[in-house]
Every structure is written in structure tokens, then in C-alpha cells.
Amino acid sequence: MNKITLDHGSGGKLTLELIETVFKAKNGLDSAIIEDIAFTTDSHSINPLFFKGGNIGKLSVSGTVNDLLCVGARPLYLSSAFIIEAGFDMEKLEKIVESMTKEAENANVKIVCGDTKVVENGKCDGVYINTSGIGKIIKPIDGQGVKDKDVVIVSGTVGDHGFAILNERENLNLSSSLKSDVSNLTHLLVPLIESELDIKFIRDPTRGGLAMCLNELCYNRDFGVEIYEEGIPTREDVRVMSEILGIEPYYSANEGKVVIVSSKEDADKALHILKQSELGKNAAIIGKITKDNPKKVVLHTKFDTKRILKMPIADKMPRIC
Amino acid sequence: MNKITLDHGSGGKLTLELIETVFKAKNGLDSAIIEDIAFTTDSHSINPLFFKGGNIGKLSVSGTVNDLLCVGARPLYLSSAFIIEAGFDMEKLEKIVESMTKEAENANVKIVCGDTKVVENGKCDGVYINTSGIGKIIKPIDGQGVKDKDVVIVSGTVGDHGFAILNERENLNLSSSLKSDVSNLTHLLVPLIESELDIKFIRDPTRGGLAMCLNELCYNRDFGVEIYEEGIPTREDVRVMSEILGIEPYYSANEGKVVIVSSKEDADKALHILKQSELGKNAAIIGKITKDNPKKVVLHTKFDTKRILKMPIADKMPRIC
């Protein structure tokens, strides 16, 4: 009999297939757009619960806020539902809730409803948190208008979250300063969405990283993506870890970054707006949409060669969000 | 150090205290009311996943739909987020999703967004499902207008769900026909909410049963509740199980019933509307609001004695939803 595997939940191709076949969901957006309302949900099961740069509470608020922003909405209201393992420390729970409150305040959203379930020891991994969210559409952004010659921008260094979690979970000690980039992006993205610029696509490259995000962008479309390694912002320690572990930063999750596609004409102005925010100070144009390689993501390497960045079958790092 | 226990998640007094102290939530409603929008969330971790009358999928859709109805909203959109244990049968997952689709259709709601996470074997109990929901307020119902002499109605037999789950989980074989009452109540409640009747309170007595529900109704208020055992609809097999197990049906969960408080004048008309629906055919007036015993729920027994139905510290049956 067919069984669910960890790979089905990794955010790669197998997750996409599960969603299409079992859940019959097709539009590929993380938030639903209902008239002028955006609605989204995310469950978080990260291990470890506390990590450099944040914890599962901050992650769950940021993740849901960012999913609303990605369809062009101003995030407004969140729910939070906890599944807690019996025996879990009350103090840790309080810390997680405090982080959620703080991140919600920072993101200008209100947590308005919740739920609490407790399960036996060994039926959970400390705490799982679901956050669902409602936002008001400022300008609907669904990727449908993306076309040849549009420009691809990333809002900062890629791969930080995935490598930070791996470094900590596996006690690799490969970097002392690397931390997760987990953050809500309200202050980075609302000005961009409110601008008159022609912004066609915004997506947070979480599970499966930049490679998954760009592959989803051109999945079943008549265009492809070309990106240039030279221009992709990457931390030095992430690059080093990447080489040691044999996992490219493009496949590693981010929790405080977005990929943006704008018209060619508006790309520089979009970049300018992003750079006004501390969260976007490393933003960069990394490539373009092209008709030359439909459905494919082509990476131009530093050595002036080209190769295809395939859609990952499964993330190499499970339980990172 | 203080630890979370199963009792913290049982839906009784300890859950209420956890919600008040750690989550700082106060209003006591399961759904938030934001202008003309209702928003709610529920995570489900029931054991067993499949039971007589339904499964975790049907339960998760019904539960969220019913929470929206309880604040006077027409349920419209749901999210569904799965946490799945690695090794779970794909076929079972498909059955659960089918039940959700069917129940959503029956309730006239659309499942518009979702999320899927997979965790290692031993970090879940098959499947946990979070469903959050959005509804449009027809008439806000928040219990604030409840006052002396108002009438308390229950929409059908009490305790079915809790005893059905217990019978099955513990292989008690105490009833062959008992099944969970799990059901969405859209068709029962929308006509009542849309009517001109003075409906002041609607609540689904899930965890902690009728006793918890009525105790929450008069929690920190200047009135109490009096109910009459004679009038409370209860299945014969539930009564028998109740005596054998020493658990009163008033403390056992329901997943397809509501408690309603209406003005004295409108009680008979409300009962009439409920009885039009198959889901409300056993609806009955069970008691009244009174100033005589503020903050307390008093049960008039069949033997003409009185006793207080206390707020349960913890449900005696964990993991029933």
C-alpha cells in the first residue's frame, strides 16, 4: 500500500504532486484570493523549536504574514492553534507565545482567535503551531501577468534559514554567526505593493528554496527563467557550508526573503524601494524571464557555463519550518 | 518546572486557565468577530481517526463550520492544514480528504487554501488537521444580551460523540447502534439566525459537554443557569453507558449539537424552527437563565433534588476531537 513519506512534506516536487492528486488544489498560490480578502494557512513543525534568530512562534507568525503579502494583501488578522505534547515546559510555551505577540505587533497584525489541543507524550515533537491569516488585498498579485523579458529580483541573501537550522540541529558548528533570517516582511513589501510599479509576482522561497520557487513560477507556463550566479546575494558562511555539505544555497529554505518579478521598465525602481528597508538592503536583480527555455530554470554559473536548476524532488532538509 | 498535561488540553477549567494566562485571550468566543467577518480556527487530533458516524476529516470541517455559525455567521471559506506522520496510508488520507470535500459541499463552504507537513513516525498520531474558517456575519451573536428568565434550548440528544468515541477506542462494546453525532449545522442554524427571533447565545457543547458550555455561559456573569434533567434529550444507550462508566452525559462531548439561549417570548418559535430540520428533531427546552444562583449551573434531577453541575477541571475523555 502507498505510504506517506517525509519527502511528501518536504516542499519539493512530491509535495506538489500530493497537493495536486490528493488535495486537488491547482492554483499554486499559498493564499486564496476571495474578492478583496486574502486567506492563508500554515502549520509549523520545525525541529529545533528554538534556534538562532527565532523560534517556532516567530516563524509561524512571519510565515503566515508573508504568505498574505505575496498575493498583494495587507496582513490584518491571524489565528493561532497549538498542538502541544504532554510534558512540555510551560515556560517554553510562554516564550513562544511572547515571540508570537511581538512579531504580530511588529507586522501590524492582530491574533484574534486560537485553539489548544494536548496530545500524549510521543505523539508530537514539543509543539506544532498552525497560523491562519486574513489580509485585505491592496493589489492582487498572482503571477499570471509574468512574461518574456520581465526581471527577477531577490530581496536579500539566499539559503540562510535552512543552513542555520541544519547547523544547529546537527551540531555542525560550521558557522558561529549564521542565524535564521526569519522575519515578517510587512515593512519591506507594503510600500512595494502600494507603489504604482508593475509588480507581477511575489513569493517567499521557503521549503525547496530559490530553486523550488523559480520552478513553480514557470511550472506549466510558456516561459522559463534565467538567473546569474554572480548576482545572487549569498552569505560567505552559507557558501562555505554549501560546499562542505554538497547542498546548494539555491535549494535551502529562506524565511525572511522574497522573489519578485517586475516589468523590465520598473525593475530598478522596485529595487530602490526594497533597499529603503533594512530587510531589503541586499536586494538584487538576479535574472530574467525568457521564452528561450520554457518551464526551465537555467543558472549561468560564475564559470560562464549554464546548467538547469531542477525542481527538487524533495527538500534535502526536512522539518525546517 | 511547570509542565503541560493532557488535562490542559481537555477543554475544561484547566484549558480555560491556560488560555487566559498564557494566551491572554479573554472573550470566550470560539470565533472572532471583525466587523462583518467571523474568523475561527480548530486543530483536530482525535483518536481513533475513523469512527462510527465519521472521521477526523468530517469532524474538522463540521467543527469549524459550527464555530462560525455560533457567532451568527454564514460559513463561507475554509483552510485545511495537515500534519501527517511518515508511513501513513495514502488511501486513508484520500478517504479523509473525500469526507472533508463532501462535508464542505453539504455545509455550502469552499476549502480554498491548505498546507501539508510530514513528520517522522512517532511524532504524530496518524494525522492532525487544522481547519480555519471565514464567515459573513448575518447577525452577531455573542451572549452579551443574555439575562434573567431567558430560555435555554438544546438542539438534540446530548453526549453522543464522547460516548461513541469512548465505546470504540476502548472496545467497550456497550452499544452497537451508538455513533458520533458529528455534523455541520448550517441547515439547522442559518434559518434560526436569519429569523427575526431574539437569539442571544449559540454554542456547540464539544469538549466538556453541556456542563462546560453552560458554565462558560455564566462564567463571571451576574446570572446562573437552571436546567431540568427530565427535559434533557438523551439516548437510552448513552444513559446506560453513563451509569456503567460513571460519566454523566452532561460532561460528554457533542459534535453536532448546539445550546441556544433565546428570550422567553421567542423560545417556542425558536424550537419550532429547529424542529423543521432533521438535525433538530429532538430539540428541547431544557431550562432557563436565573438571577438566583449567579455563576452556577443548577441541575434539577428526576428525583426532584437539586445539585450543582460544576465546571469540569478537565474532560474525563481526552483526544475526543
Side-chain angles (χ1 to χ4, degrees):
Chain A
M1 209 185 289
N2 243 330
K3 304 276 185 190
I4 295 285
T5 65
L6 277 176
D7 289 345
H8 281 112
S10 67
K13 192 157 196 249
L14 285 171
T15 305
L16 202 66
E17 283 173 6
L18 180 70
I19 290 169
E20 286 190 346
T21 56
V22 178
F23 298 113
K24 321 272 186 215
K26 292 262 174 208
N27 82 2
L29 298 175
D30 278 334
S31 300
I33 300 179
I34 310 152
E35 293 166 30
D36 64 336
I37 296 286
F39 182 30
T40 192
T41 191
D42 239 327
S43 285
H44 297 272
S45 62
I46 191 167
N47 168 17
L49 295 172
F50 293 82
F51 47 84
K52 266 191 199 161
N55 62 49
I56 189 171
K58 182 176 184 181
L59 178 71
S60 64
V61 169
S62 304
T64 295
V65 164
N66 294 347
D67 280 346
L68 293 170
L69 290 162
C70 285
V71 294
R74 181 190 303 280
L76 293 172
Y77 302 104
L78 299 191
S79 63
S80 74
F82 282 71
I83 295 175
I84 312 173
E85 190 174 9
F88 192 69
D89 278 346
M90 191 72 87
E91 234 177 79
K92 281 187 189 167
L93 184 63
E94 283 166 0
K95 271 189 194 148
I96 290 168
V97 173
E98 272 166 35
S99 295
M100 294 180 78
T101 308
K102 201 173 145 193
E103 193 69 11
E105 275 171 16
N106 180 275
N108 285 336
V109 296
K110 284 189 179 139
I111 300 174
V112 293
C113 55
D115 182 52
T116 311
K117 296 281 153 59
V118 181
V119 295
E120 298 87 345
N121 195 269
K123 302 283 184 194
C124 181
D125 195 6
V127 171
Y128 298 147
I129 304 177
N130 176 282
T131 36
S132 299
I134 297 178
K136 192 164 164 86
I137 297 286
I138 299 168
K139 183 162 68 185
I141 296 175
D142 62 6
Q144 288 308 309
V146 172
K147 64 178 206 310
D148 192 36
K149 298 195 172 58
D150 283 345
V151 171
V152 180
I153 301 169
V154 69
S155 68
T157 55
V158 304
D160 302 12
H161 178 76
F163 280 110
I165 297 302
L166 208 62
N167 193 37
E168 215 158 319
R169 185 164 67 198
E170 310 298 335
N171 291 310
L172 301 176
N173 293 316
L174 290 173
S175 165
S176 58
S177 64
L178 181 62
K179 60 177 190 176
S180 166
D181 58 347
V182 58
S183 174
N184 82 79
L185 299 175
T186 297
H187 302 293
L188 177 75
L189 292 177
V190 168
L192 190 70
I193 299 166
E194 280 181 335
S195 75
E196 297 297 303
L197 302 181
D198 192 8
I199 305 300
K200 304 179 174 193
F201 174 85
I202 307 179
R203 181 69 62 88
D204 49 341
T206 57
R207 292 181 291 179
L210 183 66
M212 185 66 192
C213 178
L214 295 177
N215 271 284
E216 283 191 284
L217 167 61
C218 60
Y219 185 68
N220 283 338
R221 300 293 292 267
D222 62 354
F223 57 76
V225 183
E226 276 185 280
I227 55 172
Y228 298 83
E229 193 160 35
E230 204 78 60
I232 303 173
T234 320
R235 284 173 58 100
E236 180 57 30
D237 48 8
V238 164
R239 264 198 302 263
V240 170
M241 280 186 73
S242 158
E243 296 200 356
I244 293 173
L245 299 170
I247 301 173
E248 287 185 287
Y250 317 128
Y251 288 94
S252 167
N254 311 273
E255 289 291 345
K257 303 290 157 51
V258 274
V259 170
I260 293 162
V261 178
S262 80
S263 68
K264 195 180 168 190
E265 293 70 30
D266 286 346
D268 286 332
K269 289 178 203 155
L271 196 63
H272 180 74
I273 291 180
L274 293 172
K275 283 179 170 289
Q276 304 298 303
S277 164
E278 177 66 21
L279 292 162
K281 66 179 180 192
N282 295 315
I285 290 174
I286 61 166
K288 62 178 190 225
I289 304 297
T290 173
K291 276 184 161 169
D292 296 343
N293 43 276
K295 304 187 207 317
K296 289 193 175 59
V297 179
V298 172
L299 177 76
H300 293 257
T301 71
K302 288 172 184 169
F303 314 105
D304 226 9
T305 59
K306 287 200 284 189
R307 62 190 170 84
I308 291 173
L309 274 192
K310 283 200 185 154
M311 181 180 285
I313 300 301
D315 195 312
K316 285 164 183 152
M317 316 177 196
R319 303 280 307 280
I320 43 80
C321 67
Chain B
M1 208 185 288
N2 243 331
K3 304 277 185 189
I4 295 287
T5 66
L6 276 177
D7 289 345
H8 281 111
S10 66
K13 193 158 196 251
L14 285 172
T15 305
L16 203 65
E17 283 174 7
L18 180 69
I19 290 170
E20 286 191 347
T21 56
V22 177
F23 298 114
K24 321 273 187 214
K26 291 264 175 205
N27 81 2
L29 298 175
D30 278 333
S31 300
I33 301 178
I34 310 152
E35 294 166 27
D36 66 337
I37 296 286
F39 182 30
T40 193
T41 191
D42 238 329
S43 285
H44 297 272
S45 61
I46 192 167
N47 168 18
L49 295 173
F50 292 82
F51 48 83
K52 266 190 200 164
N55 61 49
I56 189 171
K58 181 176 184 182
L59 179 71
S60 64
V61 170
S62 304
T64 295
V65 163
N66 294 347
D67 280 346
L68 293 170
L69 290 161
C70 285
V71 294
R74 181 190 304 280
L76 293 173
Y77 302 103
L78 299 191
S79 63
S80 74
F82 283 71
I83 294 175
I84 311 173
E85 190 174 10
F88 192 68
D89 278 346
M90 191 71 89
E91 234 176 80
K92 282 187 189 167
L93 184 64
E94 284 167 0
K95 272 190 193 146
I96 290 168
V97 173
E98 271 167 34
S99 295
M100 294 180 78
T101 308
K102 200 173 144 192
E103 194 68 11
E105 275 172 15
N106 180 275
N108 284 336
V109 296
K110 284 189 179 139
I111 299 174
V112 292
C113 54
D115 182 51
T116 310
K117 297 279 153 60
V118 181
V119 296
E120 297 88 347
N121 196 269
K123 301 284 185 194
C124 181
D125 195 8
V127 171
Y128 298 147
I129 303 177
N130 177 282
T131 36
S132 299
I134 298 178
K136 190 164 166 86
I137 297 288
I138 300 169
K139 183 161 69 186
I141 296 175
D142 62 5
Q144 287 310 308
V146 173
K147 64 178 205 309
D148 192 34
K149 298 195 172 57
D150 283 346
V151 171
V152 180
I153 300 169
V154 69
S155 67
T157 55
V158 304
D160 302 12
H161 178 75
F163 281 109
I165 297 301
L166 208 61
N167 193 38
E168 214 158 320
R169 185 165 68 199
E170 311 297 335
N171 290 310
L172 302 176
N173 293 317
L174 289 172
S175 166
S176 58
S177 64
L178 181 61
K179 60 177 190 177
S180 165
D181 59 347
V182 58
S183 174
N184 81 80
L185 298 175
T186 297
H187 303 291
L188 177 75
L189 292 177
V190 168
L192 190 71
I193 300 165
E194 280 182 334
S195 76
E196 297 297 301
L197 302 181
D198 193 8
I199 304 300
K200 303 177 173 194
F201 174 85
I202 306 179
R203 181 70 62 89
D204 49 341
T206 57
R207 292 183 291 179
L210 183 66
M212 185 67 192
C213 178
L214 295 177
N215 271 284
E216 284 191 285
L217 168 61
C218 60
Y219 185 69
N220 283 338
R221 300 292 291 268
D222 62 355
F223 57 77
V225 183
E226 277 185 278
I227 56 171
Y228 297 83
E229 193 160 35
E230 204 78 59
I232 303 172
T234 321
R235 284 173 58 100
E236 181 58 31
D237 49 7
V238 165
R239 264 197 303 262
V240 170
M241 279 186 75
S242 158
E243 296 200 357
I244 294 172
L245 300 170
I247 301 173
E248 288 187 285
Y250 318 127
Y251 288 94
S252 167
N254 310 274
E255 289 291 346
K257 303 290 157 52
V258 276
V259 171
I260 293 162
V261 178
S262 80
S263 68
K264 196 178 167 190
E265 294 69 31
D266 285 346
D268 286 332
K269 288 178 204 154
L271 196 63
H272 179 75
I273 291 180
L274 293 173
K275 282 178 170 291
Q276 304 297 304
S277 164
E278 178 66 22
L279 292 162
K281 66 180 179 191
N282 295 315
I285 290 174
I286 61 166
K288 62 179 190 225
I289 303 298
T290 173
K291 274 182 159 170
D292 297 343
N293 44 275
K295 305 188 205 319
K296 289 193 175 58
V297 179
V298 172
L299 177 75
H300 293 258
T301 71
K302 288 173 183 166
F303 314 105
D304 226 9
T305 58
K306 287 200 284 191
R307 62 188 169 86
I308 290 172
L309 273 192
K310 284 199 183 152
M311 181 180 285
I313 299 301
D315 195 312
K316 285 164 182 151
M317 315 176 197
R319 303 281 306 279
I320 43 79
C321 66

